Amino acid sequence: MIKNILSEVVDEKGIPTEAHTKLETARELVLDDKAFYKLHLLFLLQKGIKEAERAELLALRINRFSREEALYWISRILHFGKTQEKWAIKGL
C-alpha cells in the first residue's frame, strides 16, 4: 500500500514523480502533501496493530482518503487530547 500511495505523488506542476519506483534506492523521497499525510497517518496507527491483515485493511482505507481526510484524522490524534485520540484511533 505504501507503493500505491507513492505512485500518486506529483510535483508542483502535476507531473507524476514515480516516487514508488525509488522507494528501495532513494535516500530521500520528495512527497506531495497528500502522500505525506496518508503515510503519516498510516505510521501513526500501525504501531498498535499486530496482525498483518488488519494493518493491510487500515492501509487500504487510508489510501482512499483525500488529503483533507487524512489531515483531519491526524489532527484528531495529535492535537485534541487523549480522549479524542482514543476516539479517533478506534474510529479508524
Side-chain angles (χ1 to χ4, degrees), residues 5 32-45 47 62 65-81 84-89 92:
I5 292 171
D32 57 12
D33 286 351
K34 184 178 177 182
F36 174 79
Y37 294 135
K38 286 180 178 184
L39 290 173
H40 187 171
L41 183 58
L42 179 61
F43 294 144
L44 278 174
L45 295 172
K47 63 184 172 186
I62 290 172
F65 284 1
S66 67
R67 173 192 173 276
E68 291 77 15
E69 288 172 307
L71 190 54
Y72 169 82
W73 287 107
I74 290 169
S75 71
R76 289 289 171 196
I77 292 169
L78 296 179
H79 302 293
F80 283 86
Q84 287 287 357
E85 176 186 353
K86 288 178 184 178
W87 174 84
I89 290 171
L92 289 165

Side-chain angles (χ1 to χ4, degrees), residues 17-58:
T17 63
E18 302 293 324
H20 65 289
T21 62
K22 303 168 188 165
L23 183 60
E24 296 175 11
T25 58
R27 292 184 184 263
E28 293 181 12
L29 288 174
V30 178
L31 302 176
D32 57 12
D33 286 351
K34 184 178 177 182
F36 174 79
Y37 294 135
K38 286 180 178 184
L39 290 173
H40 187 171
L41 183 58
L42 179 61
F43 294 144
L44 278 174
L45 295 172
Q46 63 85 31
K47 63 184 172 186
I49 298 175
K50 294 179 174 69
E51 301 159 3
E53 294 83 19
R54 289 183 63 142
E56 185 176 0
L57 180 59
L58 180 64

Side-chain angles (χ1 to χ4, degrees), residues 5-19 30-33 35:
I5 292 171
L6 292 176
S7 70
E8 298 175 7
V9 174
V10 295
D11 65 12
E12 61 278 347
K13 295 178 184 177
I15 300 170
T17 63
E18 302 293 324
V30 178
L31 302 176
D32 57 12
D33 286 351

